[in-house]
Amino acid sequence: SMRQNAGVNWGVWEYDISRRTLTQIPCTVASGTTPPGDDVDPAYLPDGRIVFVSNRQEKSRQLMAQQGLTPFAYLDEYERERTTTLHVMNGDGSNCRQISVNQSHDRNPTVLQSGEIMYSRWDHVGERNQFSIFFTNPDGTNLFVFYGAHSPGNSYLHPREMPNGQVLSTLMPLSGTNEGGALMQIDVRNFSEDCEPGPGVASGCRGQSQPTAQSINFGMGISQYGRFSTPYPLWDGT
């Protein structure tokens, strides 16, 4: 994602390493137009399409128009900024469409080995106000919580799959640490939550653990050994 100056929106760009060329991929909806909005966090799907998050809310606006309402971009529940949701488009930007709807932000999508999309979802239900890890199919079906709704910590951001099928994420407060927190390695294959093992797994709370040499504070207050953000596992055996 890139924007060329402060006066334009964030967009999805593709860099060709061999040709050293940089090309913008505009989100083009069914009408052939590109509605205004910011596009960030892109990732390739197995079939060459691109999943990303955008605050243009293409589907939500379409539904408003069908209901005779003047389309608008809705804000998060604190009315601070336009909500970002998951969108999918072809590799050239065509057939751009919204595949998730949330009163708060969906963000940090990445593609699992299964072809499903894993992402962080701001889930504000009753007293629960946090980012949990969700997954969905590329067409928006089968959306469900993956991990973190009832585990120690508040916000699981930047989740990425590791070669062994586990997930590496950052865990932090909802605010107050500039999106820094602890690295957390999560055994999603055997645990739905930290203390909720799957069938055939011995009982106990070991669904998540910190892989760093020192334990990092993932709550508020001072963190003696610093904080981490945006981990990216390498798939080269290291």
Side-chain angles (χ1 to χ4, degrees):
S1 297
M2 182 179 71
R3 65 175 180 175
Q4 294 173 296
N5 58 66
V8 299
N9 294 107
W10 288 88
V12 175
W13 293 72
E14 185 178 62
Y15 182 70
D16 189 312
I17 297 175
S18 61
R19 298 180 180 179
R20 297 185 181 182
T21 56
L22 189 63
T23 306
Q24 185 171 10
I25 304 176
C27 168
T28 306
V29 299
S31 63
T33 62
T34 299
D38 296 293
D39 304 328
V40 297
D41 280 352
Y44 285 113
L45 288 164
D47 60 7
R49 290 182 299 162
I50 299 171
V51 58
F52 60 101
V53 296
S54 176
N55 58 16
R56 68 181 70 247
Q57 302 169 18
E58 177 270 337
K59 183 65 174 180
S60 299
R61 291 172 182 261
Q62 179 184 348
L63 293 175
M64 292 175 195
Q66 292 175 357
Q67 297 170 7
L69 303 174
T70 301
F72 66 92
Y74 59 90
L75 307 180
D76 63 39
E77 65 264 42
Y78 298 114
E79 298 186 351
R80 293 180 299 195
E81 58 186 358
R82 292 189 296 176
T83 298
T84 58
T85 55
L86 297 182
H87 287 62
V88 170
M89 63 183 174
N90 293 337
D92 61 0
S94 62
N95 196 25
C96 180
R97 62 193 186 280
Q98 178 183 348
I99 64 169
S100 75
V101 177
N102 191 6
Q103 68 175 357
S104 299
H105 299 291
D106 292 335
R107 51 177 294 185
N108 306 143
T110 186
V111 181
L112 299 172
Q113 298 176 70
S114 64
E116 296 168 307
I117 298 168
M118 177 175 64
Y119 65 101
S120 295
R121 183 177 181 90
W122 189 355
D123 195 22
H124 195 172
V125 181
E127 295 183 354
R128 190 172 75 233
N129 187 15
Q130 62 193 58
F131 274 95
S132 303
I133 301 175
F134 276 68
F135 71 91
T136 183
N137 291 329
D139 61 359
T141 60
N142 199 35
L143 185 153
F144 201 71
V145 63
F146 200 19
Y147 186 91
H150 304 287
S151 295
N154 182 273
S155 296
Y156 295 82
L157 293 177
H158 321 112
R160 288 196 175 272
E161 189 176 26
M162 301 177 70
N164 62 3
Q166 295 189 1
V167 169
L168 188 65
S169 175
T170 43
L171 180 58
M172 64 195 70
L174 187 63
S175 61
T177 62
N178 295 316
E179 291 204 7
L183 291 183
M184 198 63 66
Q185 188 167 323
I186 305 169
D187 186 2
V188 293
R189 289 187 171 181
N190 295 308
F191 288 82
S192 59
E193 297 291 344
D194 184 47
C195 297
E196 295 181 11
V201 180
S203 62
C205 298
R206 57 183 186 281
Q208 64 185 42
S209 61
Q210 294 193 40
T212 48
Q214 304 290 345
S215 180
I216 303 298
N217 177 17
F218 52 81
M220 298 293 291
I222 295 174
S223 179
Q224 180 179 0
Y225 299 103
R227 297 182 188 271
F228 295 88
S229 182
T230 324
Y232 205 117
L234 303 179
W235 284 53
D236 60 358
T238 65

